């Protein structure tokens, strides 16, 4: 142990810089992301699109989206600054993190952000104190059913609590703007918005009965990328949401916004990696890549997000393979429970491409766990 903790000898320091690996990296096509933004906006006419910066905060991506008329969903001071640097106006931002540092709320308010999300009485009082007079959305919980990456446990209150909370917000001098929710990421069911839209409509009704005037419904993210099992087209989501809004709100529809992350940037990115070894273990073929859970593929945990895989050896016979990353952590296995069918000829040095990997990868990468560098971005 003491040997490992000792400073690296000079020779080792030199080695760290020696074999600069060409992979892994993310090929990111910002024009493709802009096309996805336009498609989603077209599928949801009249609904404002706020790109969720956490999916991929690449500065040229943000600038290109801003120039195309996209607005932003941010969750921290650094994300707010990134959106403003990209050319967004403070009024283009929704600060959607339901639980925030008090200092961060004040900082965002000084930047000019006017729309915050809350889901508890404490947080409402915090926003009233640190960002007086701003607008708040109350996040209601959803089941997360139908999604590959549920966001159902950490945030969100009941519709009844939302009514109480938005009344509290009004008494505290805030604008009780309305309701938000998230149906879970990579949501495969275009009807998943129906239940929360219905719940939101009941909250709006109760507030109207109090003489308050909520005006904004934030339909969240969750729109899908082109992953292994496919998903309905964006138009099906637009139709499902339109039907839900018409049924729940009739002619008294509030303004609506969405916060897509994955649907905009995932399909615009390809993670390019190299096979470092193929090993037979107890009758199973293990393919080790130079990219893994710690170089950005965090969403493969529990095999929740399944990327489509293309290799430089495609074309020949295939067989089931376990796909693993390069670090010595046993969690660094991408797909084992459900193996991936890969070419039997796949060998060291072959290229493996994980498709639609532009979301939640570069920003999930560790700074250098086990000495493997963070995932780089290459703009194409
Ligand atoms: C992560 C997140 C999003 C983006 O979700 P996607 O499933 O990537 O579209 C939107 N809104 C909030 C509040 C989020 O936390």
């Amino acid at each position: 142990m003491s040997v490992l903790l000792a400073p690296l000898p000079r020779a080792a320091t030199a080695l760290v810089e020696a074999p600069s690996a060409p992979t892994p990296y993310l090929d990111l096509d910002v024009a493709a992301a802009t096309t996805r933004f336009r498609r989603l906006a077209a599928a949801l006419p009249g609904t404002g699109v706020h790109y969720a910066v956490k999916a991929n905060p690449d500065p040229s991506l943000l600038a290109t989206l801003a120039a195309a008329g996209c607005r932003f969903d941010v969750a921290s001071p650094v994300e707010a600054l990134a959106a403003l640097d990209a050319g967004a106006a403070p009024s283009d931002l929704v600060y959607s993190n339901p639980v925030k540092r008090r200092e961060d709320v004040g900082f965002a308010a000084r930047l000019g952000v006017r729309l915050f999300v809350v889901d508890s009485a404490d947080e409402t009082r915090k926003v009233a104190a640190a960002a007086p007079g701003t607008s708040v959305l109350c996040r209601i919980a959803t089941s997360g059913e139908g999604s590959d990456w549920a966001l159902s446990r950490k945030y969100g209150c009941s519709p009844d609590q939302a009514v109480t909370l938005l009344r509290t917000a009004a008494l505290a001098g805030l604008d009780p703007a309305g309701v938000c929710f998230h149906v879970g990421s990579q949501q495969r069911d275009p009807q998943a918005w129906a239940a929360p839209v219905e719940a939101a409509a009941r909250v709006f009704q109760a507030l109207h009965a109090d003489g308050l005037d909520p005006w904004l419904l934030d339909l969240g993210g969750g729109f899908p990328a082109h992953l292994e099992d496919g998903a309905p087209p964006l138009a099906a989501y637009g139709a499902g949401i339109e039907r839900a809004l018409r049924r729940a709100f009739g002619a008294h529809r509030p303004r609506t916004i969405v916060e897509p992350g994955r649907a905009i940037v995932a399909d615009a990115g390809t993670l390019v990696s190299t096979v470092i070894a193929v090993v037979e273990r107890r009758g199973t073929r293990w393919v080790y890549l130079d990219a893994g859970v710690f170089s950005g593929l965090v969403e493969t945990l529990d095999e929740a997000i399944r990327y489509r895989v293309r290799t430089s050896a495609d074309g020949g016979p295939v067989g089931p393979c376990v796909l693993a990353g390069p670090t010595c952590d046993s969690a660094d296995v991408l797909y084992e429970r459900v193996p991936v069918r890969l070419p039997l000829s796949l060998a060291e040095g072959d290229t493996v491409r994980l498709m639609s990997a532009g979301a939640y990868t570069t920003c999930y990468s560790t700074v250098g766990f086990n000495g493997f560098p963070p995932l780089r971005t290459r703009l194409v």
Side-chain angles (χ1 to χ4, degrees), residues 50-52 54-55 73 75 96-98 117 139 149 151 155 180-182 184-187 218 220-224 258-264 359-360:
H50 293 248
Y51 169 65
K54 85 171 188 287
D73 159 14
S96 71
N97 188 340
V117 168
R139 174 135 164 199
W149 191 265
L151 300 167
Y155 299 121
C180 66
F181 59 83
H182 195 299
S185 202
Q186 187 69 11
Q187 173 57 254
D218 177 347
F223 304 94
V258 285
E259 302 168 341
R262 190 186 305 281
I264 288 188
Y360 306 113

Side-chain angles (χ1 to χ4, degrees), residues 355-376:
M355 312 305 289
S356 298
Y360 306 113
T361 47
T362 50
C363 48
Y364 267 1
S365 170
T366 67
V367 294
F369 174 58
N370 226 179
F372 293 94
L375 186 63
R376 290 171 297 120

Side-chain angles (χ1 to χ4, degrees), residues 140-146 157-160 179-183 187 189-204 217-219 240-249:
I140 57 173
T142 66
S143 71
E145 238 170 86
C157 62
S158 72
D160 285 348
V179 170
C180 66
F181 59 83
H182 195 299
V183 295
Q187 173 57 254
D189 180 6
Q191 310 310 323
W193 279 258
V197 165
E198 182 67 44
R202 290 198 304 276
V203 174
F204 276 61
L217 176 60
D218 177 347
L219 301 155
I241 287 172
E242 174 61 28
R243 197 173 317 120
L245 288 170
R246 203 179 320 120
R247 193 174 302 156
F249 286 96

